[in-house]
Coordinates of all heavy atoms in Angstrom, one line a residue:
S102 N -47.0 -1.5 3.5 CA -45.7 -1.6 4.1 C -45.6 -1.1 5.5 O -44.6 -1.2 6.1 CB -44.7 -0.9 3.3 OG -44.6 -1.4 1.9
R103 N -46.7 -0.7 6.0 CA -46.8 -0.2 7.4 C -47.0 -1.3 8.4 O -47.7 -2.3 8.0 CB -47.9 0.8 7.6 CG -47.7 2.1 6.9 CD -48.9 3.0 7.3 NE -49.2 4.0 6.2 CZ -50.4 4.5 6.1 NH1 -51.4 4.3 6.9 NH2 -50.5 5.3 5.0
E104 N -46.4 -1.2 9.5 CA -46.7 -2.2 10.6 C -48.0 -2.0 11.2 O -48.5 -0.9 11.4 CB -45.6 -2.2 11.6 CG -44.3 -2.7 11.1 CD -43.3 -2.9 12.2 OE1 -43.3 -2.2 13.2 OE2 -42.4 -3.8 12.0
I105 N -48.7 -3.1 11.5 CA -50.0 -3.1 12.2 C -49.8 -3.5 13.6 O -49.3 -4.6 13.9 CB -51.0 -4.1 11.4 CG1 -51.3 -3.6 10.0 CG2 -52.3 -4.2 12.3 CD1 -52.2 -4.5 9.3
P106 N -50.3 -2.7 14.6 CA -50.1 -3.1 15.9 C -51.1 -4.2 16.3 O -52.2 -4.2 15.8 CB -50.5 -1.8 16.7 CG -51.2 -1.0 15.7 CD -50.8 -1.4 14.4
W107 N -50.7 -5.1 17.2 CA -51.6 -6.2 17.5 C -52.3 -5.9 18.8 O -51.9 -5.1 19.6 CB -50.7 -7.5 17.7 CG -50.4 -8.1 16.4 CD1 -49.3 -7.9 15.8 CD2 -51.3 -8.9 15.6 NE1 -49.3 -8.7 14.6 CE2 -50.6 -9.2 14.5 CE3 -52.6 -9.4 15.8 CZ2 -51.1 -10.0 13.5 CZ3 -53.1 -10.2 14.8 CH2 -52.4 -10.5 13.7
D108 N -53.4 -6.6 19.1 CA -54.1 -6.6 20.3 C -53.3 -7.3 21.4 O -52.3 -8.0 21.1 CB -55.5 -7.3 20.2 CG -56.4 -6.5 19.2 OD1 -56.2 -5.3 19.0 OD2 -57.2 -7.2 18.6
E109 N -53.7 -7.1 22.6 CA -52.9 -7.7 23.7 C -52.7 -9.2 23.6 O -51.6 -9.6 23.9 CB -53.7 -7.5 25.0 CG -53.1 -6.5 25.9 CD -53.9 -6.3 27.2 OE1 -54.0 -7.2 28.0 OE2 -54.4 -5.2 27.3
G110 N -53.6 -9.9 23.1 CA -53.5 -11.4 23.0 C -52.5 -11.9 22.0 O -52.2 -13.1 22.0
C111 N -51.8 -11.0 21.2 CA -50.9 -11.5 20.2 C -49.5 -11.0 20.5 O -48.7 -11.0 19.6 CB -51.3 -10.9 18.9 SG -52.9 -11.5 18.3
G112 N -49.2 -10.8 21.7 CA -47.8 -10.5 22.1 C -47.5 -9.0 21.9 O -46.4 -8.6 22.4
G113 N -48.2 -8.3 21.2 CA -48.0 -6.8 21.1 C -47.0 -6.4 20.1 O -46.8 -5.2 19.9
D114 N -46.3 -7.4 19.4 CA -45.4 -7.0 18.4 C -46.1 -6.7 17.1 O -46.9 -7.5 16.6 CB -44.4 -8.2 18.1 CG -43.5 -8.4 19.3 OD1 -43.2 -7.4 20.0 OD2 -42.9 -9.5 19.4
P115 N -45.8 -5.5 16.5 CA -46.5 -5.1 15.3 C -45.9 -6.0 14.1 O -44.8 -6.5 14.2 CB -46.2 -3.7 15.1 CG -45.0 -3.4 15.9 CD -45.0 -4.5 17.0
S116 N -46.8 -6.2 13.1 CA -46.4 -7.0 11.9 C -46.9 -6.3 10.7 O -47.9 -5.6 10.7 CB -47.1 -8.3 11.9 OG -46.7 -9.1 13.1
E117 N -46.2 -6.5 9.5 CA -46.7 -5.9 8.3 C -47.9 -6.7 7.9 O -48.1 -7.8 8.3 CB -45.6 -6.0 7.3 CG -45.1 -7.3 6.8 CD -44.0 -8.0 7.7 OE1 -43.6 -7.4 8.7 OE2 -43.6 -9.1 7.4
P118 N -48.8 -6.1 7.1 CA -50.1 -6.7 6.8 C -50.0 -8.1 6.1 O -50.8 -8.9 6.4 CB -50.7 -5.7 5.8 CG -50.1 -4.4 6.1 CD -48.7 -4.7 6.6
I119 N -49.0 -8.3 5.3 CA -48.9 -9.6 4.6 C -48.6 -10.7 5.6 O -49.0 -11.9 5.4 CB -47.9 -9.6 3.4 CG1 -48.1 -10.8 2.5 CG2 -46.4 -9.5 4.0 CD1 -49.4 -10.8 1.8
S120 N -48.1 -10.4 6.8 CA -47.9 -11.4 7.8 C -49.1 -11.5 8.7 O -49.5 -12.6 9.2 CB -46.7 -11.1 8.7 OG -45.5 -11.3 8.0
C121 N -49.8 -10.4 8.9 CA -51.1 -10.4 9.7 C -52.1 -11.4 9.1 O -52.8 -12.0 9.9 CB -51.7 -9.0 9.7 SG -50.8 -7.9 10.8
V122 N -52.1 -11.5 7.8 CA -53.1 -12.5 7.3 C -52.9 -13.9 7.8 O -53.8 -14.7 7.7 CB -53.2 -12.4 5.7 CG1 -53.7 -11.1 5.2 CG2 -51.9 -12.8 5.0
S123 N -51.7 -14.3 8.1 CA -51.4 -15.6 8.6 C -51.6 -15.6 10.1 O -51.8 -16.8 10.6 CB -49.9 -16.0 8.2 OG -49.8 -16.1 6.9
L124 N -51.4 -14.6 10.8 CA -51.4 -14.6 12.3 C -52.8 -14.4 12.9 O -53.1 -14.9 14.0 CB -50.5 -13.5 12.8 CG -49.1 -13.6 12.5 CD1 -48.3 -12.3 12.8 CD2 -48.4 -14.7 13.3
A125 N -53.7 -13.7 12.2 CA -54.9 -13.3 12.8 C -55.8 -14.4 13.2 O -56.4 -14.4 14.3 CB -55.7 -12.4 11.8
H126 N -56.0 -15.4 12.4 CA -56.9 -16.6 12.7 C -56.4 -17.3 13.9 O -57.1 -17.6 14.9 CB -57.0 -17.5 11.5 CG -58.0 -18.6 11.8 ND1 -59.3 -18.4 11.7 CD2 -57.7 -19.9 12.1 CE1 -59.9 -19.6 12.0 NE2 -59.0 -20.5 12.2
F127 N -55.1 -17.6 13.9 CA -54.5 -18.3 15.1 C -54.7 -17.6 16.4 O -54.9 -18.3 17.4 CB -52.9 -18.5 14.8 CG -52.2 -19.2 15.9 CD1 -52.2 -20.6 16.0 CD2 -51.6 -18.5 16.9 CE1 -51.5 -21.3 17.0 CE2 -50.9 -19.1 17.9 CZ -50.9 -20.5 18.0
H128 N -54.6 -16.3 16.4 CA -54.7 -15.6 17.6 C -56.2 -15.2 17.9 O -56.5 -14.4 18.8 CB -53.9 -14.3 17.5 CG -52.4 -14.6 17.5 ND1 -51.8 -15.0 18.7 CD2 -51.5 -14.5 16.6 CE1 -50.5 -15.2 18.5 NE2 -50.2 -14.9 17.2
G129 N -57.1 -15.8 17.2 CA -58.5 -15.6 17.5 C -59.1 -14.2 17.1 O -60.1 -13.8 17.5
L130 N -58.4 -13.5 16.2 CA -58.8 -12.2 15.8 C -59.7 -12.3 14.5 O -60.3 -11.3 14.1 CB -57.7 -11.3 15.5 CG -56.8 -11.1 16.7 CD1 -55.5 -10.3 16.3 CD2 -57.5 -10.4 17.8
S131 N -59.7 -13.4 13.9 CA -60.6 -13.6 12.7 C -61.2 -15.0 12.6 O -60.6 -15.9 13.2 CB -59.8 -13.4 11.4 OG -58.8 -14.4 11.2
D132 N -62.2 -15.1 11.9 CA -62.9 -16.4 11.8 C -63.5 -16.5 10.4 O -64.8 -16.4 10.2 CB -64.0 -16.6 12.9 CG -64.6 -18.0 12.9 OD1 -63.9 -18.9 12.3 OD2 -65.7 -18.2 13.4

Side-chain angles (χ1 to χ4, degrees):
S102 298
R103 294 185 209 156
E104 289 189 330
I105 294 179
W107 281 99
D108 297 334
E109 252 180 66
C111 295
D114 292 334
S116 300
E117 63 275 5
I119 197 66
S120 290
C121 287
V122 297
S123 295
L124 297 168
H126 184 76
F127 177 83
H128 290 292
L130 300 173
S131 68
D132 187 21

